[in-house]
Amino acid sequence: MSSRTGEPLIVGRVIGDVLDYFIPSIKMSVAFNNMQVFNGQEFYPSTVATKPRVQIHGGDLRTFFTLVMTDPDVPGPSDPYLREHLHWIVTDIPGTTDATFGREVVGYEIPRPDIGIHRFVFVLFKQNRRQLIGSPSSRDNFSTRDFAAENDLGLPVAAVYFNARRETAARRR
């Protein structure tokens, strides 16, 4: 994989706000109701109300991964003083499978952006081994970087993000 695969993450400020620079080495696909997530794509919150299917295309059944989903734009992108808000953590996901085979440490929380357009970031880490990863004390003021450091996860191997904004009443009808 080339460094070009990381470019949308730089343009979208995911690298910088959430992650340090890394070169993706594993292919991960995220889909809500069979709608594939691409970097910077916009979804309505009602579209992402149920947890997505996250597939890992790489590694093998003896390789384990941790998936983290956060919103770095809480309460709003112009003043994200609660950065980051944690939406989901799944650990011990075997390579070549999907997140349903892992251990859900923090349950999936539906994106509910209030002010402005929020980024929702999925980050995949390769674990050194099967390991017990504890649940963070709070969903607010979460740090993907600190979480990775505390659990000896190193740099990510894949990441993708989508945008979402609050739905108007007219849109929900």
Side-chain angles (χ1 to χ4, degrees):
M1 267 192 218
S2 72
S3 60
R4 292 193 66 77
T5 51
E7 270 179 30
L9 298 171
I10 295 168
V11 173
R13 296 190 334 276
V14 169
I15 289 177
D17 289 351
V18 181
L19 305 170
D20 292 326
Y21 181 79
F22 74 99
I23 293 174
S25 57
I26 294 280
K27 188 175 174 338
M28 167 180 69
S29 61
V30 179
F32 289 95
N33 306 314
N34 296 323
M35 287 189 299
Q36 188 81 23
V37 174
F38 296 102
N39 284 315
Q41 182 178 11
E42 192 159 325
F43 283 104
Y44 287 107
S46 58
T47 311
V48 296
T50 55
K51 71 173 79 159
R53 178 150 192 217
V54 179
Q55 292 180 283
I56 298 165
H57 310 275
D60 57 43
L61 294 173
R62 294 182 309 277
T63 317
F64 296 97
F65 296 89
T66 292
L67 175 75
V68 174
M69 177 188 175
T70 72
D71 173 357
D73 299 315
V74 180
S78 58
D79 183 22
Y81 62 87
L82 293 175
R83 173 178 294 165
E84 302 158 39
H85 184 81
L86 178 63
H87 280 268
W88 200 26
I89 295 179
V90 185
T91 66
D92 289 338
I93 306 165
T96 72
T97 69
D98 66 59
T100 55
F101 290 94
R103 187 172 67 86
E104 197 171 62
V105 175
V106 176
Y108 180 74
E109 184 180 277
I110 300 166
R112 290 193 185 87
D114 220 18
I115 308 159
I117 298 172
H118 289 230
R119 295 164 295 168
F120 293 89
V121 184
F122 294 90
V123 186
L124 190 68
F125 295 97
K126 184 174 183 265
Q127 297 171 204
N128 295 321
R129 63 197 172 285
R130 270 193 110 117
Q131 63 194 85
L132 188 63
I133 290 177
S135 178
S137 54
S138 165
R139 286 184 186 256
D140 282 323
N141 297 116
F142 180 79
S143 165
T144 301
R145 283 184 182 97
D146 292 352
F147 174 80
E150 287 158 15
N151 290 287
D152 193 27
L153 294 171
L155 286 172
V157 292
V160 67
Y161 79 99
F162 68 89
N163 294 322
R165 67 175 83 202
R166 189 178 179 164
E167 280 178 77
T168 61
R171 169 70 180 87
R172 279 195 292 263
R173 264 189 253 131

